[in-house]
Amino acid sequence: MSEQKSDEGQTDLNALHSEHLMKLILASGQASQAWLKFLITVEGALAVGFGFLATASIRTRMHIALALVICFFGAALALVLTSVIIHHFQWSASFIKRYIAILGNVDRVFPGDIEQRPRDISKIDAGWIAKRIRTVKWLIALGWVVAAVLVAK
């Protein structure tokens, strides 16, 4: 009888843990989306400012200097903010691995096998979307470098 209560208690604990992990997964996804929106907004605003300075009818040294500063901040923010977004994807992957590892959750919501989780979040594969975001990060940074070179000429 006590063994049955113990099994029911463990089942309840697993259900609570699973529910908590699902909330963490959803919250992490929402945070990643918010950071991505912020990245797009900031990069767009910097691009508008750069365009205003680069296409001025009379370009002074001040215009060129400010345009170069905008290029520097655009590239730096692209690198930093995409790193934050990718870190959120890694946390989501960690929560998903924990969810799958709970007894009875294999293939219940997320496909996968039970595997040993790395202790360091940065070593967790963030997934397909994060790889695309990494590519976009370097393209944005390269775009700002090219813009800086063109405006400096």
Side-chain angles (χ1 to χ4, degrees):
M1 178 104 172
S2 66
E3 197 174 301
Q4 186 178 6
K5 279 188 174 184
S6 174
D7 289 343
E8 288 175 5
Q10 185 63 35
T11 303
D12 291 343
L13 186 61
N14 285 347
L16 287 173
H17 194 195
S18 295
E19 181 182 347
H20 180 68
L21 284 169
M22 286 302 293
K23 288 179 182 178
L24 287 172
I25 292 165
L26 292 173
S28 181
Q30 290 170 344
S32 296
Q33 288 177 359
W35 278 107
L36 190 56
K37 288 177 190 176
F38 181 66
L39 172 69
I40 292 167
T41 302
V42 169
E43 291 293 329
L46 288 171
V48 167
F50 175 81
F52 175 76
L53 292 169
T55 60
S57 58
I58 301 173
R59 283 188 6 194
T60 63
R61 288 185 180 182
M62 180 64 101
H63 283 95
I64 294 171
L66 288 174
L68 290 173
V69 167
I70 287 175
C71 290
F72 170 76
F73 279 115
L77 283 171
L79 297 174
V80 170
L81 292 178
T82 52
S83 296
V84 169
I85 294 166
I86 290 167
H87 194 71
H88 276 281
F89 275 103
Q90 289 170 320
W91 272 106
S92 290
S94 173
F95 296 145
I96 290 169
K97 288 180 185 298
R98 286 182 182 186
Y99 179 86
I100 291 171
I102 294 174
L103 186 63
N105 285 351
V106 174
D107 292 330
R108 185 172 172 199
V109 177
F110 302 103
D113 298 320
I114 297 174
E115 56 188 53
Q116 187 65 27
R117 241 180 345 100
R119 293 242 182 248
D120 187 10
I121 293 296
S122 64
K123 293 187 175 150
I124 293 178
D125 180 32
W128 188 84
I129 295 172
K131 289 176 186 169
R132 298 321 175 260
I133 291 173
R134 279 189 185 109
T135 302
V136 168
K137 166 179 73 174
W138 294 114
L139 291 174
I140 292 171
L142 178 66
W144 283 116
V145 169
V146 169
V149 168
L150 291 176
V151 82
K153 284 186 176 185

